[in-house]
Coordinates of all heavy atoms in Angstrom, one line a residue:
S28 N 10.6 -9.2 5.1 CA 11.7 -10.2 5.3 C 11.1 -11.6 5.3 O 9.9 -11.7 5.4 CB 12.3 -9.9 6.7 OG 12.8 -11.0 7.3
T29 N 11.9 -12.6 5.1 CA 11.4 -13.9 5.1 C 11.3 -14.4 6.5 O 10.8 -15.5 6.8 CB 12.4 -14.9 4.3 OG1 13.7 -14.7 4.9 CG2 12.4 -14.5 2.9
S30 N 11.8 -13.6 7.5 CA 11.7 -14.1 9.0 C 10.4 -13.6 9.6 O 10.2 -13.9 10.8 CB 12.9 -13.4 9.7 OG 12.8 -12.0 9.7
G31 N 9.5 -13.1 8.8 CA 8.1 -12.7 9.5 C 7.3 -13.9 9.6 O 7.6 -15.0 9.3
T32 N 6.1 -13.6 10.1 CA 5.1 -14.7 10.3 C 4.0 -14.5 9.2 O 3.3 -13.5 9.1 CB 4.4 -14.5 11.7 OG1 5.5 -14.6 12.7 CG2 3.4 -15.6 12.0
P33 N 3.8 -15.6 8.4 CA 2.7 -15.6 7.4 C 1.3 -15.4 8.1 O 1.1 -16.0 9.1 CB 2.8 -16.9 6.7 CG 4.1 -17.4 7.0 CD 4.5 -16.9 8.4
R34 N 0.5 -14.5 7.6 CA -0.8 -14.3 8.1 C -1.8 -14.2 7.0 O -1.7 -13.3 6.1 CB -0.8 -12.9 8.9 CG -2.2 -12.6 9.5 CD -2.1 -11.4 10.4 NE -3.4 -11.1 10.9 CZ -3.7 -10.0 11.5 NH1 -2.8 -9.0 11.6 NH2 -5.0 -9.9 11.9
P35 N -2.8 -15.2 7.0 CA -3.8 -15.1 6.0 C -4.7 -13.9 6.1 O -5.2 -13.6 7.2 CB -4.6 -16.4 6.2 CG -4.0 -17.1 7.4 CD -2.9 -16.2 7.9
M36 N -4.8 -13.1 5.0 CA -5.6 -11.9 5.0 C -6.9 -12.1 4.2 O -7.9 -11.5 4.4 CB -4.8 -10.7 4.6 CG -3.7 -10.3 5.4 SD -4.1 -9.8 7.0 CE -4.9 -8.2 6.7
N37 N -6.7 -12.9 3.1 CA -7.9 -13.1 2.2 C -8.5 -11.9 1.5 O -9.7 -11.8 1.5 CB -8.9 -14.0 2.9 CG -8.4 -15.3 3.3 OD1 -7.6 -15.9 2.7 ND2 -8.7 -15.7 4.6
F38 N -7.6 -11.0 1.2 CA -8.1 -9.8 0.4 C -7.4 -9.7 -0.9 O -6.2 -10.0 -1.0 CB -7.7 -8.5 1.2 CG -8.6 -8.2 2.4 CD1 -8.2 -8.5 3.7 CD2 -9.8 -7.6 2.2 CE1 -9.0 -8.3 4.8 CE2 -10.6 -7.4 3.3 CZ -10.2 -7.7 4.6
L39 N -8.1 -9.2 -1.9 CA -7.6 -8.8 -3.1 C -8.0 -7.4 -3.4 O -9.3 -7.2 -3.4 CB -8.0 -9.8 -4.2 CG -7.4 -9.6 -5.6 CD1 -5.9 -9.7 -5.5 CD2 -8.0 -10.5 -6.6
I40 N -7.2 -6.5 -3.5 CA -7.6 -5.0 -3.6 C -7.3 -4.5 -5.0 O -6.2 -4.8 -5.5 CB -6.8 -4.2 -2.5 CG1 -7.2 -4.7 -1.1 CG2 -7.1 -2.8 -2.6 CD1 -6.1 -4.4 -0.1
A41 N -8.2 -3.8 -5.6 CA -8.1 -3.2 -6.9 C -8.6 -1.7 -6.8 O -9.6 -1.5 -6.2 CB -8.7 -4.0 -8.0
A42 N -7.8 -0.9 -7.4 CA -8.2 0.5 -7.4 C -7.6 1.2 -8.6 O -6.6 0.9 -9.1 CB -7.7 1.3 -6.1
A43 N -8.3 2.2 -9.1 CA -7.8 3.1 -10.2 C -6.7 4.0 -9.7 O -5.8 4.3 -10.5 CB -8.9 3.9 -10.8
D44 N -6.7 4.3 -8.5 CA -5.7 5.2 -7.8 C -4.8 4.5 -6.9 O -5.2 3.8 -6.0 CB -6.5 6.2 -7.1 CG -5.7 7.3 -6.4 OD1 -4.5 7.1 -6.2 OD2 -6.2 8.4 -6.1
P45 N -3.5 4.6 -7.1 CA -2.6 3.8 -6.3 C -2.5 4.2 -4.9 O -2.4 3.4 -3.9 CB -1.2 4.0 -6.9 CG -1.3 5.2 -7.8 CD -2.8 5.3 -8.2
V46 N -2.8 5.5 -4.7 CA -2.8 6.0 -3.2 C -4.1 5.5 -2.5 O -4.0 5.1 -1.4 CB -2.8 7.6 -3.2 CG1 -3.0 8.1 -1.8 CG2 -1.5 8.1 -3.8
A47 N -5.2 5.4 -3.3 CA -6.4 4.8 -2.6 C -6.2 3.3 -2.3 O -6.6 2.9 -1.2 CB -7.6 4.9 -3.7
A48 N -5.4 2.6 -3.1 CA -5.1 1.2 -2.9 C -4.3 1.0 -1.6 O -4.6 0.3 -0.7 CB -4.4 0.5 -4.1
D49 N -3.3 1.9 -1.5 CA -2.5 1.9 -0.2 C -3.2 2.4 1.0 O -3.0 1.8 2.0 CB -1.2 2.8 -0.5 CG -0.2 2.1 -1.3 OD1 -0.3 0.9 -1.5 OD2 0.8 2.8 -1.7
L50 N -4.1 3.4 0.9 CA -4.9 3.8 2.0 C -5.8 2.7 2.5 O -6.0 2.4 3.7 CB -5.8 5.0 1.6 CG -5.0 6.3 1.5 CD1 -5.8 7.4 0.9 CD2 -4.4 6.8 2.8
T51 N -6.4 1.9 1.5 CA -7.2 0.8 1.8 C -6.4 -0.3 2.6 O -6.8 -0.9 3.6 CB -7.8 0.2 0.6 OG1 -8.6 1.1 0.0 CG2 -8.7 -1.0 0.9
C52 N -5.2 -0.5 2.1 CA -4.3 -1.5 2.8 C -4.1 -1.1 4.2 O -4.0 -1.8 5.2 CB -3.0 -1.7 2.1 SG -3.2 -2.5 0.5
C53 N -3.8 0.3 4.4 CA -3.6 0.8 5.8 C -4.8 0.6 6.7 O -4.6 0.2 7.9 CB -3.2 2.3 5.7 SG -1.5 2.6 5.1
A54 N -5.9 0.8 6.1 CA -7.2 0.7 6.9 C -7.3 -0.8 7.4 O -7.7 -1.1 8.5 CB -8.4 1.2 6.1
I55 N -7.1 -1.7 6.4 CA -7.3 -3.1 6.7 C -6.3 -3.5 7.8 O -6.6 -4.3 8.7 CB -7.1 -4.0 5.5 CG1 -8.4 -3.7 4.6 CG2 -7.0 -5.5 5.8 CD1 -8.1 -4.3 3.2
A56 N -5.0 -3.1 7.7 CA -4.0 -3.5 8.6 C -4.0 -2.7 9.9 O -3.1 -3.0 10.8 CB -2.6 -3.4 7.9
G57 N -4.8 -1.6 10.0 CA -4.7 -0.8 11.2 C -3.5 0.1 11.4 O -3.1 0.3 12.4
I58 N -3.0 0.6 10.2 CA -1.8 1.4 10.2 C -2.3 2.9 9.9 O -3.1 3.1 9.0 CB -0.8 0.9 9.1 CG1 -0.3 -0.4 9.4 CG2 0.3 1.9 8.9 CD1 0.4 -1.1 8.3
D59 N -1.7 3.8 10.7 CA -2.0 5.2 10.4 C -1.3 5.5 9.1 O 0.0 5.5 9.0 CB -1.3 6.0 11.6 CG -1.5 7.5 11.3 OD1 -2.1 8.0 10.3 OD2 -0.8 8.3 12.1
P60 N -2.1 6.0 8.0 CA -1.5 6.3 6.7 C -0.4 7.3 6.8 O 0.5 7.3 6.0 CB -2.7 6.7 5.9 CG -3.8 6.7 6.7 CD -3.4 6.1 8.1
L61 N -0.5 8.3 7.7 CA 0.5 9.3 7.8 C 1.8 8.9 8.4 O 2.8 9.6 8.3 CB 0.0 10.5 8.6 CG -1.3 11.2 8.0 CD1 -1.7 12.4 8.8 CD2 -0.9 11.7 6.5
A62 N 1.8 7.7 9.0 CA 3.1 7.0 9.4 C 3.8 6.4 8.3 O 5.0 5.9 8.4 CB 2.8 6.0 10.5
V63 N 3.2 6.3 7.1 CA 3.9 5.8 5.9 C 4.4 6.9 5.1 O 3.6 7.8 4.5 CB 2.9 5.0 5.1 CG1 3.4 4.4 3.8 CG2 2.2 3.9 5.9
P64 N 5.8 7.1 5.0 CA 6.3 8.3 4.3 C 5.8 8.5 2.9 O 5.5 9.7 2.6 CB 7.8 8.0 4.4 CG 8.0 7.1 5.5 CD 6.8 6.2 5.5
M65 N 5.6 7.5 2.2 CA 5.1 7.7 0.8 C 3.7 8.4 0.8 O 3.4 9.2 0.0 CB 5.1 6.4 0.0 CG 4.8 6.5 -1.5 SD 3.2 6.4 -2.1 CE 2.4 5.0 -1.3
L66 N 2.8 7.8 1.7 CA 1.5 8.3 1.8 C 1.4 9.8 2.4 O 0.6 10.6 1.9 CB 0.6 7.4 2.5 CG 0.3 6.1 1.9 CD1 -0.5 5.2 2.9 CD2 -0.4 6.2 0.6
A67 N 2.3 10.1 3.3 CA 2.4 11.4 3.8 C 2.9 12.4 2.7 O 2.3 13.5 2.5 CB 3.4 11.5 5.0
A68 N 3.8 12.0 1.9 CA 4.3 12.7 0.7 C 3.2 12.9 -0.3 O 3.0 14.1 -0.9 CB 5.5 12.1 0.0
A69 N 2.4 11.9 -0.6 CA 1.3 12.0 -1.5 C 0.2 13.0 -1.0 O -0.4 13.8 -1.7 CB 0.6 10.7 -1.7
R70 N 0.0 13.0 0.3 CA -1.0 14.0 0.9 C -0.5 15.3 0.8 O -1.2 16.3 0.4 CB -1.3 13.6 2.4 CG -2.3 14.6 3.0 CD -2.1 14.8 4.5 NE -0.7 15.3 4.8 CZ -0.2 15.4 5.9 NH1 -1.0 15.0 7.0 NH2 0.9 15.8 6.2
D71 N 0.8 15.5 1.0 CA 1.3 16.9 0.9 C 1.3 17.5 -0.6 O 1.2 18.6 -0.8 CB 2.8 16.9 1.4 CG 3.0 16.6 2.8 OD1 1.9 16.8 3.6 OD2 4.1 16.3 3.3
R72 N 1.3 16.5 -1.6 CA 1.1 16.9 -2.9 C -0.3 17.0 -3.5 O -0.5 17.4 -4.6 CB 2.0 15.9 -3.8 CG 3.4 16.0 -3.5 CD 4.2 14.9 -4.1 NE 5.5 14.8 -3.5 CZ 6.6 14.5 -4.2 NH1 6.4 14.2 -5.5 NH2 7.7 14.5 -3.6
G73 N -1.2 16.7 -2.5 CA -2.6 16.9 -3.0 C -3.1 15.7 -3.6 O -4.1 15.6 -4.3

Side-chain angles (χ1 to χ4, degrees):
S28 157
T29 57
S30 64
T32 304
R34 180 174 179 192
M36 297 296 292
N37 300 318
F38 283 101
L39 186 63
I40 299 155
D44 181 341
V46 175
D49 283 349
L50 289 171
T51 301
C52 292
C53 285
I55 290 168
I58 297 171
D59 175 9
L61 296 181
V63 179
M65 191 270 313
L66 292 175
R70 182 207 56 189
D71 294 343
R72 293 166 191 222

